[in-house]
PDB file of all heavy atoms in Angstrom:
ATOM      1  N   ARG A 102      -7.377  -7.028  56.030  1.00  0.00           N
ATOM      2  CA  ARG A 102      -6.505  -8.104  56.355  1.00  0.00           C
ATOM      3  C   ARG A 102      -6.293  -9.058  55.242  1.00  0.00           C
ATOM      4  O   ARG A 102      -5.310  -9.656  55.083  1.00  0.00           O
ATOM      5  CB  ARG A 102      -7.176  -8.815  57.594  1.00  0.00           C
ATOM      6  CG  ARG A 102      -7.057  -8.076  58.926  1.00  0.00           C
ATOM      7  CD  ARG A 102      -7.542  -8.988  59.986  1.00  0.00           C
ATOM      8  NE  ARG A 102      -7.509  -8.253  61.255  1.00  0.00           N
ATOM      9  CZ  ARG A 102      -7.844  -8.809  62.450  1.00  0.00           C
ATOM     10  NH1 ARG A 102      -8.241 -10.038  62.496  1.00  0.00           N
ATOM     11  NH2 ARG A 102      -7.638  -8.063  63.580  1.00  0.00           N
ATOM     12  N   ALA A 103      -7.332  -9.217  54.424  1.00  0.00           N
ATOM     13  CA  ALA A 103      -7.213 -10.102  53.281  1.00  0.00           C
ATOM     14  C   ALA A 103      -6.104  -9.624  52.304  1.00  0.00           C
ATOM     15  O   ALA A 103      -5.372 -10.397  51.771  1.00  0.00           O
ATOM     16  CB  ALA A 103      -8.575 -10.112  52.524  1.00  0.00           C
ATOM     17  N   THR A 104      -6.080  -8.271  52.159  1.00  0.00           N
ATOM     18  CA  THR A 104      -4.988  -7.765  51.333  1.00  0.00           C
ATOM     19  C   THR A 104      -3.594  -8.023  51.924  1.00  0.00           C
ATOM     20  O   THR A 104      -2.600  -8.349  51.245  1.00  0.00           O
ATOM     21  CB  THR A 104      -5.195  -6.207  51.177  1.00  0.00           C
ATOM     22  OG1 THR A 104      -6.413  -6.001  50.504  1.00  0.00           O
ATOM     23  CG2 THR A 104      -4.004  -5.633  50.315  1.00  0.00           C
ATOM     24  N   LEU A 105      -3.541  -7.983  53.241  1.00  0.00           N
ATOM     25  CA  LEU A 105      -2.309  -8.224  53.934  1.00  0.00           C
ATOM     26  C   LEU A 105      -1.859  -9.663  53.731  1.00  0.00           C
ATOM     27  O   LEU A 105      -0.704  -9.955  53.334  1.00  0.00           O
ATOM     28  CB  LEU A 105      -2.402  -7.923  55.467  1.00  0.00           C
ATOM     29  CG  LEU A 105      -1.165  -8.284  56.277  1.00  0.00           C
ATOM     30  CD1 LEU A 105       0.027  -7.452  55.822  1.00  0.00           C
ATOM     31  CD2 LEU A 105      -1.513  -8.008  57.738  1.00  0.00           C
ATOM     32  N   TRP A 106      -2.721 -10.636  53.950  1.00  0.00           N
ATOM     33  CA  TRP A 106      -2.389 -12.023  53.856  1.00  0.00           C
ATOM     34  C   TRP A 106      -2.109 -12.405  52.448  1.00  0.00           C
ATOM     35  O   TRP A 106      -1.125 -13.188  52.108  1.00  0.00           O
ATOM     36  CB  TRP A 106      -3.459 -12.952  54.436  1.00  0.00           C
ATOM     37  CG  TRP A 106      -3.592 -12.829  55.919  1.00  0.00           C
ATOM     38  CD1 TRP A 106      -4.641 -12.319  56.642  1.00  0.00           C
ATOM     39  CD2 TRP A 106      -2.608 -13.149  56.867  1.00  0.00           C
ATOM     40  NE1 TRP A 106      -4.333 -12.351  57.957  1.00  0.00           N
ATOM     41  CE2 TRP A 106      -3.115 -12.863  58.142  1.00  0.00           C
ATOM     42  CE3 TRP A 106      -1.326 -13.704  56.745  1.00  0.00           C
ATOM     43  CZ2 TRP A 106      -2.404 -13.116  59.312  1.00  0.00           C
ATOM     44  CZ3 TRP A 106      -0.543 -13.892  57.937  1.00  0.00           C
ATOM     45  CH2 TRP A 106      -1.086 -13.638  59.188  1.00  0.00           C
ATOM     46  N   ARG A 107      -2.852 -11.832  51.460  1.00  0.00           N
ATOM     47  CA  ARG A 107      -2.567 -12.081  50.074  1.00  0.00           C
ATOM     48  C   ARG A 107      -1.125 -11.559  49.690  1.00  0.00           C
ATOM     49  O   ARG A 107      -0.374 -12.199  49.000  1.00  0.00           O
ATOM     50  CB  ARG A 107      -3.630 -11.469  49.215  1.00  0.00           C
ATOM     51  CG  ARG A 107      -3.502 -11.830  47.736  1.00  0.00           C
ATOM     52  CD  ARG A 107      -4.721 -11.447  46.970  1.00  0.00           C
ATOM     53  NE  ARG A 107      -5.160 -10.111  47.189  1.00  0.00           N
ATOM     54  CZ  ARG A 107      -6.372  -9.748  47.734  1.00  0.00           C
ATOM     55  NH1 ARG A 107      -7.252 -10.689  48.071  1.00  0.00           N
ATOM     56  NH2 ARG A 107      -6.651  -8.501  47.916  1.00  0.00           N
ATOM     57  N   GLY A 108      -0.899 -10.337  50.204  1.00  0.00           N
ATOM     58  CA  GLY A 108       0.376  -9.743  49.880  1.00  0.00           C
ATOM     59  C   GLY A 108       1.514 -10.503  50.526  1.00  0.00           C
ATOM     60  O   GLY A 108       2.596 -10.668  49.879  1.00  0.00           O
ATOM     61  N   LEU A 109       1.422 -10.987  51.705  1.00  0.00           N
ATOM     62  CA  LEU A 109       2.506 -11.715  52.321  1.00  0.00           C
ATOM     63  C   LEU A 109       2.717 -13.095  51.629  1.00  0.00           C
ATOM     64  O   LEU A 109       3.819 -13.544  51.521  1.00  0.00           O
ATOM     65  CB  LEU A 109       2.088 -11.976  53.874  1.00  0.00           C
ATOM     66  CG  LEU A 109       2.085 -10.770  54.745  1.00  0.00           C
ATOM     67  CD1 LEU A 109       1.659 -11.167  56.172  1.00  0.00           C
ATOM     68  CD2 LEU A 109       3.534 -10.152  54.787  1.00  0.00           C
ATOM     69  N   GLY A 110       1.625 -13.753  51.202  1.00  0.00           N
ATOM     70  CA  GLY A 110       1.780 -14.914  50.448  1.00  0.00           C
ATOM     71  C   GLY A 110       2.544 -14.625  49.134  1.00  0.00           C
ATOM     72  O   GLY A 110       3.403 -15.485  48.741  1.00  0.00           O
ATOM     73  N   GLY A 111       2.188 -13.594  48.439  1.00  0.00           N
ATOM     74  CA  GLY A 111       2.878 -13.259  47.254  1.00  0.00           C
ATOM     75  C   GLY A 111       4.350 -12.900  47.506  1.00  0.00           C
ATOM     76  O   GLY A 111       5.260 -13.338  46.706  1.00  0.00           O
ATOM     77  N   TRP A 112       4.574 -12.258  48.604  1.00  0.00           N
ATOM     78  CA  TRP A 112       5.925 -11.919  48.985  1.00  0.00           C
ATOM     79  C   TRP A 112       6.787 -13.195  49.237  1.00  0.00           C
ATOM     80  O   TRP A 112       7.935 -13.245  48.765  1.00  0.00           O
ATOM     81  CB  TRP A 112       6.043 -11.027  50.177  1.00  0.00           C
ATOM     82  CG  TRP A 112       7.381 -10.494  50.557  1.00  0.00           C
ATOM     83  CD1 TRP A 112       8.015  -9.433  50.096  1.00  0.00           C
ATOM     84  CD2 TRP A 112       8.309 -11.192  51.451  1.00  0.00           C
ATOM     85  NE1 TRP A 112       9.300  -9.293  50.709  1.00  0.00           N
ATOM     86  CE2 TRP A 112       9.481 -10.424  51.505  1.00  0.00           C
ATOM     87  CE3 TRP A 112       8.179 -12.323  52.207  1.00  0.00           C
ATOM     88  CZ2 TRP A 112      10.613 -10.799  52.308  1.00  0.00           C
ATOM     89  CZ3 TRP A 112       9.326 -12.698  52.986  1.00  0.00           C
ATOM     90  CH2 TRP A 112      10.515 -11.910  53.017  1.00  0.00           C
ATOM     91  N   CYS A 113       6.257 -14.183  49.851  1.00  0.00           N
ATOM     92  CA  CYS A 113       6.925 -15.459  50.146  1.00  0.00           C
ATOM     93  C   CYS A 113       7.313 -16.117  48.768  1.00  0.00           C
ATOM     94  O   CYS A 113       8.442 -16.613  48.638  1.00  0.00           O
ATOM     95  CB  CYS A 113       6.066 -16.344  50.961  1.00  0.00           C
ATOM     96  SG  CYS A 113       5.937 -15.769  52.689  1.00  0.00           S
ATOM     97  N   LEU A 114       6.381 -16.023  47.878  1.00  0.00           N
ATOM     98  CA  LEU A 114       6.695 -16.593  46.517  1.00  0.00           C
ATOM     99  C   LEU A 114       7.788 -15.873  45.876  1.00  0.00           C
ATOM    100  O   LEU A 114       8.722 -16.476  45.249  1.00  0.00           O
ATOM    101  CB  LEU A 114       5.451 -16.618  45.645  1.00  0.00           C
ATOM    102  CG  LEU A 114       5.635 -17.062  44.190  1.00  0.00           C
ATOM    103  CD1 LEU A 114       6.064 -18.514  44.120  1.00  0.00           C
ATOM    104  CD2 LEU A 114       4.386 -16.830  43.379  1.00  0.00           C
ATOM    105  N   VAL A 115       7.762 -14.559  46.007  1.00  0.00           N
ATOM    106  CA  VAL A 115       8.817 -13.725  45.359  1.00  0.00           C
ATOM    107  C   VAL A 115      10.152 -14.062  46.030  1.00  0.00           C
ATOM    108  O   VAL A 115      11.138 -14.212  45.319  1.00  0.00           O
ATOM    109  CB  VAL A 115       8.512 -12.253  45.588  1.00  0.00           C
ATOM    110  CG1 VAL A 115       9.690 -11.312  45.280  1.00  0.00           C
ATOM    111  CG2 VAL A 115       7.330 -11.788  44.653  1.00  0.00           C
ATOM    112  N   ALA A 116      10.264 -14.120  47.314  1.00  0.00           N
ATOM    113  CA  ALA A 116      11.470 -14.462  48.009  1.00  0.00           C
ATOM    114  C   ALA A 116      12.060 -15.776  47.632  1.00  0.00           C
ATOM    115  O   ALA A 116      13.205 -15.975  47.410  1.00  0.00           O
ATOM    116  CB  ALA A 116      11.265 -14.390  49.526  1.00  0.00           C
ATOM    117  N   LEU A 117      11.128 -16.771  47.527  1.00  0.00           N
ATOM    118  CA  LEU A 117      11.515 -18.139  47.162  1.00  0.00           C
ATOM    119  C   LEU A 117      12.089 -18.144  45.724  1.00  0.00           C
ATOM    120  O   LEU A 117      13.117 -18.850  45.454  1.00  0.00           O
ATOM    121  CB  LEU A 117      10.380 -19.116  47.270  1.00  0.00           C
ATOM    122  CG  LEU A 117      10.630 -20.530  46.887  1.00  0.00           C
ATOM    123  CD1 LEU A 117      11.632 -21.108  47.745  1.00  0.00           C
ATOM    124  CD2 LEU A 117       9.296 -21.292  46.860  1.00  0.00           C
ATOM    125  N   THR A 118      11.385 -17.391  44.795  1.00  0.00           N
ATOM    126  CA  THR A 118      11.910 -17.369  43.457  1.00  0.00           C
ATOM    127  C   THR A 118      13.265 -16.684  43.377  1.00  0.00           C
ATOM    128  O   THR A 118      14.123 -17.069  42.634  1.00  0.00           O
ATOM    129  CB  THR A 118      10.849 -16.615  42.544  1.00  0.00           C
ATOM    130  OG1 THR A 118       9.591 -17.269  42.666  1.00  0.00           O
ATOM    131  CG2 THR A 118      11.319 -16.595  41.122  1.00  0.00           C
ATOM    132  N   GLY A 119      13.434 -15.633  44.190  1.00  0.00           N
ATOM    133  CA  GLY A 119      14.721 -14.994  44.204  1.00  0.00           C
ATOM    134  C   GLY A 119      15.842 -15.902  44.627  1.00  0.00           C
ATOM    135  O   GLY A 119      16.927 -15.836  44.094  1.00  0.00           O
ATOM    136  N   TRP A 120      15.536 -16.679  45.670  1.00  0.00           N
ATOM    137  CA  TRP A 120      16.462 -17.648  46.208  1.00  0.00           C
ATOM    138  C   TRP A 120      16.901 -18.648  45.126  1.00  0.00           C
ATOM    139  O   TRP A 120      18.067 -18.951  44.957  1.00  0.00           O
ATOM    140  CB  TRP A 120      15.902 -18.272  47.473  1.00  0.00           C
ATOM    141  CG  TRP A 120      16.793 -19.360  48.098  1.00  0.00           C
ATOM    142  CD1 TRP A 120      17.929 -19.177  48.788  1.00  0.00           C
ATOM    143  CD2 TRP A 120      16.460 -20.757  48.083  1.00  0.00           C
ATOM    144  NE1 TRP A 120      18.429 -20.300  49.242  1.00  0.00           N
ATOM    145  CE2 TRP A 120      17.575 -21.386  48.762  1.00  0.00           C
ATOM    146  CE3 TRP A 120      15.514 -21.554  47.517  1.00  0.00           C
ATOM    147  CZ2 TRP A 120      17.635 -22.693  49.036  1.00  0.00           C
ATOM    148  CZ3 TRP A 120      15.579 -22.945  47.721  1.00  0.00           C
ATOM    149  CH2 TRP A 120      16.590 -23.462  48.471  1.00  0.00           C
ATOM    150  N   VAL A 121      15.944 -19.244  44.475  1.00  0.00           N
ATOM    151  CA  VAL A 121      16.226 -20.234  43.426  1.00  0.00           C
ATOM    152  C   VAL A 121      16.997 -19.535  42.262  1.00  0.00           C
ATOM    153  O   VAL A 121      17.862 -20.165  41.708  1.00  0.00           O
ATOM    154  CB  VAL A 121      14.883 -20.785  42.834  1.00  0.00           C
ATOM    155  CG1 VAL A 121      15.161 -21.636  41.626  1.00  0.00           C
ATOM    156  CG2 VAL A 121      14.208 -21.567  43.978  1.00  0.00           C
ATOM    157  N   THR A 122      16.668 -18.280  41.944  1.00  0.00           N
ATOM    158  CA  THR A 122      17.410 -17.519  40.851  1.00  0.00           C
ATOM    159  C   THR A 122      18.882 -17.411  41.192  1.00  0.00           C
ATOM    160  O   THR A 122      19.717 -17.546  40.395  1.00  0.00           O
ATOM    161  CB  THR A 122      16.735 -16.202  40.576  1.00  0.00           C
ATOM    162  OG1 THR A 122      15.331 -16.388  40.281  1.00  0.00           O
ATOM    163  CG2 THR A 122      17.402 -15.550  39.414  1.00  0.00           C
ATOM    164  N   VAL A 123      19.116 -17.039  42.422  1.00  0.00           N
ATOM    165  CA  VAL A 123      20.523 -16.924  42.905  1.00  0.00           C
ATOM    166  C   VAL A 123      21.238 -18.227  42.669  1.00  0.00           C
ATOM    167  O   VAL A 123      22.343 -18.223  42.100  1.00  0.00           O
ATOM    168  CB  VAL A 123      20.577 -16.499  44.324  1.00  0.00           C
ATOM    169  CG1 VAL A 123      22.074 -16.572  44.866  1.00  0.00           C
ATOM    170  CG2 VAL A 123      20.072 -15.045  44.515  1.00  0.00           C
ATOM    171  N   TRP A 124      20.697 -19.360  43.167  1.00  0.00           N
ATOM    172  CA  TRP A 124      21.315 -20.634  42.891  1.00  0.00           C
ATOM    173  C   TRP A 124      21.500 -20.945  41.421  1.00  0.00           C
ATOM    174  O   TRP A 124      22.532 -21.497  40.974  1.00  0.00           O
ATOM    175  CB  TRP A 124      20.503 -21.740  43.608  1.00  0.00           C
ATOM    176  CG  TRP A 124      20.808 -21.857  45.097  1.00  0.00           C
ATOM    177  CD1 TRP A 124      20.003 -21.450  46.083  1.00  0.00           C
ATOM    178  CD2 TRP A 124      21.946 -22.503  45.679  1.00  0.00           C
ATOM    179  NE1 TRP A 124      20.656 -21.739  47.283  1.00  0.00           N
ATOM    180  CE2 TRP A 124      21.842 -22.410  47.019  1.00  0.00           C
ATOM    181  CE3 TRP A 124      23.090 -23.030  45.078  1.00  0.00           C
ATOM    182  CZ2 TRP A 124      22.756 -22.867  47.948  1.00  0.00           C
ATOM    183  CZ3 TRP A 124      24.053 -23.606  45.962  1.00  0.00           C
ATOM    184  CH2 TRP A 124      23.902 -23.490  47.419  1.00  0.00           C
ATOM    185  N   ALA A 125      20.515 -20.616  40.655  1.00  0.00           N
ATOM    186  CA  ALA A 125      20.584 -20.851  39.180  1.00  0.00           C
ATOM    187  C   ALA A 125      21.770 -20.147  38.554  1.00  0.00           C
ATOM    188  O   ALA A 125      22.495 -20.655  37.777  1.00  0.00           O
ATOM    189  CB  ALA A 125      19.282 -20.429  38.524  1.00  0.00           C
ATOM    190  N   PHE A 126      21.988 -18.864  38.923  1.00  0.00           N
ATOM    191  CA  PHE A 126      23.067 -18.076  38.305  1.00  0.00           C
ATOM    192  C   PHE A 126      24.415 -18.471  38.817  1.00  0.00           C
ATOM    193  O   PHE A 126      25.406 -18.167  38.218  1.00  0.00           O
ATOM    194  CB  PHE A 126      22.825 -16.602  38.574  1.00  0.00           C
ATOM    195  CG  PHE A 126      22.025 -15.896  37.500  1.00  0.00           C
ATOM    196  CD1 PHE A 126      20.688 -16.006  37.533  1.00  0.00           C
ATOM    197  CD2 PHE A 126      22.650 -15.270  36.410  1.00  0.00           C
ATOM    198  CE1 PHE A 126      19.881 -15.407  36.473  1.00  0.00           C
ATOM    199  CE2 PHE A 126      21.929 -14.691  35.435  1.00  0.00           C
ATOM    200  CZ  PHE A 126      20.541 -14.721  35.389  1.00  0.00           C
ATOM    201  N   TYR A 127      24.481 -19.250  39.940  1.00  0.00           N
ATOM    202  CA  TYR A 127      25.809 -19.822  40.409  1.00  0.00           C
ATOM    203  C   TYR A 127      25.890 -21.303  40.012  1.00  0.00           C
ATOM    204  O   TYR A 127      26.612 -21.974  40.661  1.00  0.00           O
ATOM    205  CB  TYR A 127      25.911 -19.584  41.880  1.00  0.00           C
ATOM    206  CG  TYR A 127      26.266 -18.185  42.225  1.00  0.00           C
ATOM    207  CD1 TYR A 127      25.281 -17.161  42.412  1.00  0.00           C
ATOM    208  CD2 TYR A 127      27.614 -17.755  42.346  1.00  0.00           C
ATOM    209  CE1 TYR A 127      25.662 -15.866  42.702  1.00  0.00           C
ATOM    210  CE2 TYR A 127      27.952 -16.482  42.685  1.00  0.00           C
ATOM    211  CZ  TYR A 127      26.923 -15.529  42.790  1.00  0.00           C
ATOM    212  OH  TYR A 127      27.277 -14.228  43.116  1.00  0.00           O
ATOM    213  N   GLY A 128      24.997 -21.744  39.084  1.00  0.00           N
ATOM    214  CA  GLY A 128      25.156 -23.060  38.626  1.00  0.00           C
ATOM    215  C   GLY A 128      24.630 -24.159  39.523  1.00  0.00           C
ATOM    216  O   GLY A 128      25.061 -25.319  39.361  1.00  0.00           O
ATOM    217  N   PHE A 129      23.775 -23.774  40.452  1.00  0.00           N
ATOM    218  CA  PHE A 129      23.284 -24.781  41.507  1.00  0.00           C
ATOM    219  C   PHE A 129      24.465 -25.484  42.169  1.00  0.00           C
ATOM    220  O   PHE A 129      24.380 -26.720  42.381  1.00  0.00           O
ATOM    221  CB  PHE A 129      22.311 -25.739  40.858  1.00  0.00           C
ATOM    222  CG  PHE A 129      21.002 -25.077  40.464  1.00  0.00           C
ATOM    223  CD1 PHE A 129      20.715 -24.797  39.094  1.00  0.00           C
ATOM    224  CD2 PHE A 129      20.038 -24.702  41.435  1.00  0.00           C
ATOM    225  CE1 PHE A 129      19.573 -24.166  38.781  1.00  0.00           C
ATOM    226  CE2 PHE A 129      18.906 -24.111  41.076  1.00  0.00           C
ATOM    227  CZ  PHE A 129      18.670 -23.792  39.739  1.00  0.00           C
ATOM    228  N   ARG A 130      25.518 -24.749  42.404  1.00  0.00           N
ATOM    229  CA  ARG A 130      26.673 -25.420  42.994  1.00  0.00           C
ATOM    230  C   ARG A 130      27.226 -24.468  44.126  1.00  0.00           C
ATOM    231  O   ARG A 130      27.357 -23.262  44.043  1.00  0.00           O
ATOM    232  CB  ARG A 130      27.826 -25.501  41.977  1.00  0.00           C
ATOM    233  CG  ARG A 130      29.034 -26.184  42.433  1.00  0.00           C
ATOM    234  CD  ARG A 130      30.105 -26.218  41.340  1.00  0.00           C
ATOM    235  NE  ARG A 130      30.656 -24.953  41.127  1.00  0.00           N
ATOM    236  CZ  ARG A 130      31.304 -24.534  39.984  1.00  0.00           C
ATOM    237  NH1 ARG A 130      31.506 -25.424  39.044  1.00  0.00           N
ATOM    238  NH2 ARG A 130      31.738 -23.274  39.810  1.00  0.00           N
ATOM    239  N   TYR A 131      27.381 -24.985  45.250  1.00  0.00           N
ATOM    240  CA  TYR A 131      27.847 -24.268  46.439  1.00  0.00           C
ATOM    241  C   TYR A 131      29.296 -23.745  46.230  1.00  0.00           C
ATOM    242  O   TYR A 131      29.574 -22.611  46.470  1.00  0.00           O
ATOM    243  CB  TYR A 131      27.784 -25.044  47.711  1.00  0.00           C
ATOM    244  CG  TYR A 131      28.330 -24.311  48.908  1.00  0.00           C
ATOM    245  CD1 TYR A 131      27.578 -23.295  49.503  1.00  0.00           C
ATOM    246  CD2 TYR A 131      29.562 -24.574  49.405  1.00  0.00           C
ATOM    247  CE1 TYR A 131      28.026 -22.584  50.589  1.00  0.00           C
ATOM    248  CE2 TYR A 131      30.058 -23.882  50.574  1.00  0.00           C
ATOM    249  CZ  TYR A 131      29.315 -22.882  51.111  1.00  0.00           C
ATOM    250  OH  TYR A 131      29.805 -22.178  52.151  1.00  0.00           O
TER     251      TYR A 131
END
């Protein structure tokens, strides 16, 4: 279970970074 929770936490960081990267490549403009 420790591996699962550690992995899910890492995945959330990965998803958040991906989201920020998308905004960055579109100039942080909608």
